[in-house]
Amino acid sequence: MGTVAADRGGSFGRSGHESRNWMRASPPGIAFRCRPAESSPIGSDARARRERATRFRRARFLAAILLLAGAGLACFGGGLYIHAKAGLAQVLLHAAWAKTQDSGLPAKPWPWADMHPVARLIAPAQDADLLVLSGASGRTLAFGPGHLSGSAIPGDPGNSVITAHRDTHFRFLQRLAAGDTLMVEGRNGARRHFHVLRTYVADYRALNIPRDTLQPTLTLVTCYPFDAINPGGPLRYVVVAEAT
Amino acid sequence: MPADAPSGAEPPSAGASIWKSTMSQADRIADNNVLRGEWRQLGRLALESVGTGLFVSLVLALAVFVISFEARAAGSDDPGQGTLLLRDEGGGRTAAPLLSTEVHMDVSGMVARVQVSQRFANPTALWREGVYVFPLPDKAAVDHLTMHIGERVIEGQIKERAEARRTYEAAKAEGRKTTLVEQERPNMFTTSVANIGPNEEIVVALEYEETLRYGEGAFRLRFPLAITPRYIPGAAIAAPSEGSGWSPPTTQVPDADRITPPFVPSREEFVNPVTISIDLNAGFPLAKVASTYHDVDVEERPGNRYRVTLADGRVPAARDFELMFVPDVGTAPGAALFTETKGGKTYALLMALPPTAPEVSAAHLPREITYIIDTSGSMEGVSIAQARDALAMALERLQAGDRFNVIEFNSTSTPLFSAPMPVDAATLARAKQFVGALRARGGTEMLPALKIALAGQPESSMVRQVVFLTDGAVGNEDEILRLLHDKLGDRRLFTIGIGPSPNTFFLTKAAQFGRGTFTFIGDVREVRQKMTALFRKLESPALTNIAVDWPGGVDAWPRLVPDLYAGEPVVVTAQFPAGTLQGNVLISGTRAGGAWQSLLPINGGATEAGVSVLWARAKIDALMDAGRQGAPEQDIRNAVLDVALTHHLVSKYTSLVAVDVTPTKPAGVDTLKSALPGHVPEGLTGFDQLPRTATPAALAMLVGLLLMFAAALLAYFNRNRRANAPQGI
């Protein structure tokens, strides 16, 4: 055992030594390369050329910095935009929902929208008030939780499956626990209360959400873990709530 | 002074200054040289930027990789890409046993012998039990099971169901390797394999016998590859549950926990890759050999033999396979006889094709036709599109004088009209609008829809037909069949199986009980052709009152031959007492008032192994039908047990079980049980269409921050450099 440890220590030390040598070797190299410039005679022509070269060099740096900063801003902005869109859409959707309830006809949140709100989902203790949209495509989810077409309408008998992004609308799911209350408001304004039965994490390929239940049931699904950076990943966080 | 430039200065720019100083030394070099120099500098700049860009990207990629890797590592104990993680009872996640299936079919004449080898591999260090629920053809006579452990082969024994289960559980507890094959429905079976050791694999090989289907001038052989998740009606009951399905037992489906296996989307990596090979020896020249839904390679061999394999090698078990072959014109026999002598008895399989009916009679008989369309969630996707197309075509076909109705059902039933209405422009327009607006969602409450369709008088002066479009994905098949038996009256029921993997047992049985036919539409491109064939059947008279008279002492099944439509053959099996295979068989029937009969001598039949099994299977089928029609269960059970145990057949009351001789699992080690999932049939979107539920916002913002940080660093170094550059120049 002792020998092995010593061997390891030795090799570690050697590599450290090498890297120190390399560090020491660098500065003289640069100094050498700079030397010819120092010894050059300075004429007025040469000065103009040098000035031009300096400007050129500065422009080059500026361009590189601007490019990097621009790309960074664009990326960062893109991320912010996702959150802004998610937030703003809900504001517009709430307005459309009020209109829908007044007139009894489905109102579009914005003129070119290809979906409409089907229900309002409220988690009083978690301070979440969301409008659920028809269809659960990636495009819909940018604006709000999506109702899986083919599953029951929220509040109707059967299992209603609603999905949303873990980092926007369904972030509050992590604060839901068994026994918590959820409310669903239908188009007619009637509210139905649900209580959370359980929450669990599962591989989405092994996720079996019952199609039909006797009690009106809500199944809320989002990605897991909540704080992962990578948007892929096979795990899903599932909240099951039943009508009270 | 440049010499004092900090060591942080960018080396490439120092290189550029070498070139410049050379220029200064050679003062009188031509201007175009300077120009060329600038160009070279520009080129170098381009190279540098590309280099810098590459470097930055690499660093960022590395950062992202490290971050996402950490996220994944933190999120799960995923043992590797593509491994399916199953939740176990303790709440942990374990890699599922890996499954793959090899199917080999030997088709000889009208009979197919099929071997299905299921390979269960255990990639973990635990002892495992795998439970896999899978489909087989609804007329499959499963009569053979072997369990392969390395080179060793263990034969399965037929036992009464409960006894087989006890044998399996005992062997599992003793640490022996063991396999149990049970029938849940005539077209749904369960394989349980216990004590698969760490990194071991066990191959379970099943064999079954089946008769090919003939109709529309072609022979067809189906092999179902997926189970459309079944709808389970009724209230949940607290019954002791041994199944591992997603549904609890209910009042209407007491075995729901056994027929609702877990499922995964078909677009995922295959959970059960399948290979299929077929040796085809029809016995007569063929005009065409093809597969309806999969790409296949067909290799012709001498003597009208063919070898058919999947062009893609391995396919996901996500949609039914169908082999189809068409005899050369005039070469297919009008009647065929196959025999086998076994256990002192001789068995015969007889196929006879009545002459085709004259084309649709000019005088159109007025009809009352009711279309029932399933719009439940399981139809969502390709199926509802096929059903809508088929129904639209059917509406076009209605004529003045006919009466019709359309009933849509999912969790509730919605009829278009409260009673069948005469066909006119207004009713047709309403029907088209109704059909165009159909969307699939919700449950599959079939009984109420059928009750609406079958309401009213049991007898009528009109020809009454019910056309039922569905995937048949329900768990209460027998309950619905009983209703059909009780309420159908003089109506005829035609079923249209929709989708990539419909419940063919239910659909063929319902058509049989309804004295109609079953049409399968597996692809939206087939709608026109299949519907046209169905219209021909709906509009031409059927061959009814079919009787098959055998010589005395012969036990023939089925006793009641179903009515036949254009191009369908009579297929019957018979058991002869030893040495009495002689005489004639008389087949008779009536069509549109006229009588038809045919006398066939019982000799010259080709010997074909497996005919006895087909006879036994036909007898079990007829017995089970009697049970569905109200015969006491105990009588049926005894009769089925007698046939099934004699002929080594899996049935509702008998299972095959194989047990290794010596225990291999160390004492005191637990066996972890896993229910293996199947694919949701391809194209169905009502099940697992769960979208991605994380945005790339966090990742984008992180990359953005890193890029801006890099920019800031660069700006800082640039400022330093400028500060150190020679002043006053």
Side-chain angles (χ1 to χ4, degrees):
Chain A
M1 272 314 270
T3 1
V4 174
D7 273 0
R8 273 196 197 140
S11 89
F12 206 66
R14 263 203 303 284
S15 71
H17 180 67
E18 273 165 17
S19 76
R20 272 197 302 278
N21 269 349
W22 174 78
M23 296 252 311
R24 224 183 285 133
S26 301
I30 287 169
F32 166 76
R33 268 181 259 158
C34 290
R35 208 171 295 132
E38 186 191 14
S39 64
S40 63
I42 301 167
S44 67
D45 254 16
R47 192 177 300 144
R49 269 195 293 273
R50 233 173 111 161
E51 220 171 291
R52 198 165 46 201
T54 316
R55 246 186 282 128
F56 202 78
R57 211 183 311 150
R58 278 187 197 155
R60 185 181 55 188
F61 262 97
L62 205 65
I65 290 164
L66 282 178
L67 258 173
L68 269 178
L73 261 177
C75 265
F76 192 80
L80 278 182
Y81 175 63
I82 290 172
H83 285 281
K85 197 162 59 167
L88 178 67
Q90 282 292 323
V91 174
L92 295 174
L93 281 163
H94 272 90
W97 185 246
K99 217 184 290 171
T100 303
Q101 287 184 334
D102 285 347
S103 65
L105 297 167
K108 284 187 171 183
W110 45 93
W112 59 93
D114 56 355
M115 86 296 270
H116 60 271
V118 292
R120 181 173 167 193
L121 175 70
I122 303 164
Q126 285 71 28
D127 201 22
D129 184 354
L130 298 163
L131 280 167
V132 180
L133 298 170
S134 54
S137 68
R139 213 174 27 177
T140 306
L141 292 195
F143 304 115
H147 168 247
L148 211 64
S149 63
S151 75
I153 298 287
D156 280 3
N159 190 9
S160 176
V161 183
I162 302 171
T163 70
H165 290 148
R166 66 168 176 219
D167 44 358
T168 58
H169 303 111
F170 267 5
R171 191 157 186 85
F172 79 94
L173 291 198
Q174 61 185 334
R175 290 182 280 130
L176 277 178
D180 282 356
T181 302
L182 291 170
M183 281 187 284
V184 164
E185 185 180 287
R187 201 175 281 170
N188 54 9
R191 288 195 179 183
R192 187 143 203 178
H193 288 248
F194 290 77
H195 66 276
V196 175
L197 284 184
R198 61 181 174 276
T199 66
Y200 63 88
V201 175
D203 187 315
Y204 74 107
R205 293 161 295 185
L207 193 62
N208 289 292
I209 296 171
R211 267 204 290 151
D212 298 288
T213 50
L214 297 165
Q215 279 291 320
T217 302
L218 290 180
T219 302
L220 312 179
V221 186
T222 193
C223 280
Y224 186 85
F226 284 94
D227 291 316
I229 300 273
N230 177 19
L235 295 178
R236 295 292 180 273
Y237 189 79
V238 183
V239 176
V240 182
E242 210 177 69
T244 47
Chain B
M1 295 299 277
D4 298 324
S7 58
E10 225 183 355
S13 70
S17 65
I18 299 173
W19 184 77
K20 243 182 299 153
S21 58
T22 321
M23 272 293 291
S24 330
Q25 277 164 343
D27 217 355
R28 274 178 294 282
I29 288 181
D31 249 9
N32 64 342
N33 251 5
V34 177
L35 206 62
R36 202 193 304 146
E38 296 279 328
W39 278 112
R40 272 176 64 184
Q41 202 170 358
L42 203 65
R44 198 184 292 247
L45 170 66
L47 274 175
E48 275 169 27
S49 349
V50 170
T52 317
L54 270 176
F55 177 74
V56 171
S57 330
L58 271 174
V59 169
L60 286 175
L62 190 72
V64 169
F65 173 77
V66 167
I67 288 161
S68 63
F69 182 80
E70 268 174 10
R72 205 182 316 143
S76 74
D77 41 8
D78 191 343
Q81 205 72 35
T83 311
L84 180 68
L85 298 178
L86 297 179
R87 227 152 38 103
D88 52 42
E89 283 127 19
R93 285 183 291 274
T94 324
L98 302 171
L99 177 65
S100 61
T101 303
E102 264 173 53
V103 181
H104 180 75
M105 309 184 184
D106 268 307
V107 181
S108 163
M110 277 205 72
V111 179
R113 179 87 192 163
V114 182
Q115 190 182 63
V116 180
S117 303
Q118 299 167 337
R119 185 178 297 270
F120 293 83
N122 173 10
T124 63
L126 305 165
W127 286 80
R128 307 298 291 270
E129 175 182 13
V131 179
Y132 183 54
V133 180
F134 61 100
L136 283 182
D138 53 281
K139 294 267 184 337
V142 180
D143 65 345
H144 196 233
L145 162 72
T146 47
M147 174 168 70
H148 301 250
I149 307 157
E151 295 293 299
R152 290 186 303 129
V153 179
I154 291 130
E155 288 278 332
Q157 302 302 317
I158 193 80
K159 289 196 159 117
E160 190 275 317
R161 187 168 186 151
E163 193 194 335
R165 164 66 56 186
R166 279 195 299 274
T167 308
Y168 172 81
E169 294 294 347
K172 180 179 140 190
E174 288 161 14
R176 300 172 206 267
K177 296 191 195 314
T178 177
T179 298
L180 176 66
V181 175
E182 294 167 295
Q183 177 186 311
E184 312 301 347
R185 293 288 183 274
N187 62 342
M188 193 194 284
F189 293 75
T190 302
T191 301
S192 306
V193 189
N195 294 326
I196 318 169
N199 300 309
E200 276 182 351
E201 61 177 46
I202 292 179
V203 177
V204 175
L206 303 169
E207 284 180 35
Y208 70 81
E209 196 85 22
E210 191 192 10
T211 329
L212 272 64
R213 223 173 107 102
Y214 181 79
E216 304 292 318
F219 287 90
R220 288 170 198 275
L221 179 61
R222 286 182 69 79
F223 186 80
L225 282 169
I227 296 170
T228 302
R230 300 281 195 264
Y231 173 75
I232 306 297
I237 45 174
S241 161
E242 60 182 27
S244 22
W246 47 260
S247 171
T250 71
T251 48
Q252 281 173 274
V253 190
D255 64 349
D257 55 324
R258 301 191 56 88
I259 61 164
T260 51
F263 48 79
V264 296
S266 54
R267 63 182 185 281
E268 290 309 318
E269 62 264 39
F270 311 168
V271 288
N272 176 14
V274 176
T275 61
I276 298 175
S277 61
I278 302 163
D279 282 320
L280 170 61
N281 177 17
F284 40 80
L286 301 181
K288 185 182 175 189
V289 178
S291 143
T292 321
Y293 309 109
H294 292 80
D295 289 333
V296 289
D297 292 328
V298 179
E299 183 195 329
E300 192 171 352
R301 293 177 175 181
N304 297 324
R305 286 162 189 273
Y306 296 85
R307 169 104 184 157
V308 183
T309 48
L310 288 174
D312 296 329
R314 286 146 65 98
V315 296
R319 76 169 309 159
D320 293 1
F321 175 86
E322 186 185 70
L323 176 77
M324 189 264 276
F325 57 91
V326 181
D328 255 353
V329 180
T331 58
L337 183 71
F338 301 95
T339 61
E340 180 191 28
T341 300
K342 197 174 178 183
K345 300 261 170 64
T346 302
Y347 298 87
L349 168 70
L350 174 76
M351 188 275 276
L353 195 61
T356 39
E359 266 309 295
V360 184
S361 49
H364 178 83
L365 289 167
R367 297 177 298 151
E368 179 194 295
I369 188 155
T370 305
Y371 299 100
I372 309 176
I373 180 166
D374 177 349
T375 53
S376 64
S378 66
M379 296 282 287
E380 170 95 339
V382 290
S383 300
I384 189 73
Q386 289 162 20
R388 267 200 306 259
D389 281 11
L391 203 44
M393 256 190 94
L395 292 176
E396 295 287 333
R397 194 84 176 194
L398 290 169
Q399 294 185 15
D402 292 347
R403 301 172 74 85
F404 80 109
N405 199 0
V406 182
I407 301 167
E408 172 210 5
F409 76 95
N410 40 53
S411 298
T412 54
S413 302
T414 315
L416 170 61
F417 307 118
S418 54
M421 293 289 280
V423 174
D424 61 39
T427 52
L428 272 183
R430 273 185 69 186
K432 279 178 190 161
Q433 198 185 359
F434 182 80
V435 170
L438 293 176
R439 297 287 175 273
R441 68 178 46 172
T444 316
E445 292 292 347
M446 235 178 229
L447 279 174
L450 283 167
K451 280 178 183 159
I452 294 176
L454 304 182
Q457 296 299 314
E459 307 289 326
S460 164
S461 57
M462 266 184 142
V463 173
R464 293 193 298 175
Q465 295 168 330
V466 178
V467 177
F468 189 12
L469 298 97
T470 178
D471 55 12
V474 287
N476 58 334
E477 292 104 324
D478 282 357
E479 192 181 14
I480 297 165
L481 292 173
R482 204 166 306 126
L483 175 89
L484 289 177
H485 176 72
D486 294 345
K487 292 279 170 67
L488 202 64
D490 65 355
R491 296 176 185 88
R492 286 174 187 271
L493 175 74
F494 297 81
T495 52
I496 302 178
I498 299 278
S501 296
N503 181 354
T504 51
F505 155 66
F506 171 70
L507 291 159
T508 47
K509 236 353 145 197
Q512 181 202 317
F513 274 52
R515 300 185 309 274
T517 60
F518 162 50
T519 305
F520 176 74
I521 298 179
D523 192 303
V524 79
R525 285 167 300 184
E526 289 186 326
V527 171
R528 183 153 293 274
Q529 171 217 340
K530 292 286 183 81
M531 286 302 283
T532 307
L534 175 64
F535 294 139
R536 210 158 43 231
K537 290 174 183 173
L538 287 172
E539 289 160 15
S540 59
L543 184 66
T544 57
N545 305 321
I546 300 170
V548 184
D549 291 322
W550 297 88
V554 171
D555 187 15
W557 296 95
R559 292 268 158 89
L560 296 170
V561 178
D563 292 351
L564 296 178
Y565 291 83
E568 294 176 338
V570 178
V571 180
V572 273
T573 58
Q575 182 198 54
F576 291 76
T580 61
L581 191 69
Q582 56 191 10
N584 295 303
V585 58
L586 178 73
I587 308 174
S588 61
T590 54
R591 176 156 42 206
W596 165 79
Q597 66 174 41
S598 175
L599 191 69
L600 299 167
I602 310 169
N603 56 35
T607 303
E608 181 68 55
V611 171
S612 61
V613 175
L614 293 173
W615 173 84
R617 182 68 180 75
K619 182 167 179 177
I620 292 174
D621 194 48
L623 288 168
M624 296 303 294
D625 280 352
R628 290 179 191 113
Q629 292 165 0
E633 157 123 41
Q634 195 53 42
D635 297 356
I636 298 297
R637 186 172 180 277
N638 290 340
V640 170
L641 271 179
D642 181 42
V643 186
L645 292 174
T646 312
H647 291 270
H648 217 258
L649 277 178
V650 178
S651 68
K652 186 180 178 183
Y653 306 113
T654 49
S655 310
L656 281 165
V657 62
V659 178
D660 194 6
V661 192
T662 48
T664 49
K665 189 181 77 169
V669 175
D670 280 343
T671 302
L672 177 66
K673 181 174 174 177
S674 309
L676 303 186
H679 279 300
V680 171
E682 203 174 285
L684 298 190
T685 55
F687 299 97
D688 257 333
Q689 201 65 336
L690 286 179
R692 229 175 57 165
T693 43
T695 68
L699 187 63
M701 284 162 80
L702 182 84
V703 170
L705 278 178
L706 280 173
L707 282 172
M708 286 194 281
F709 179 68
L713 264 182
L714 214 60
Y716 171 78
F717 283 128
N718 192 32
R719 207 174 56 107
N720 258 1
R721 237 172 65 104
R722 252 191 293 170
N724 286 307
Q727 301 294 310
I729 293 176

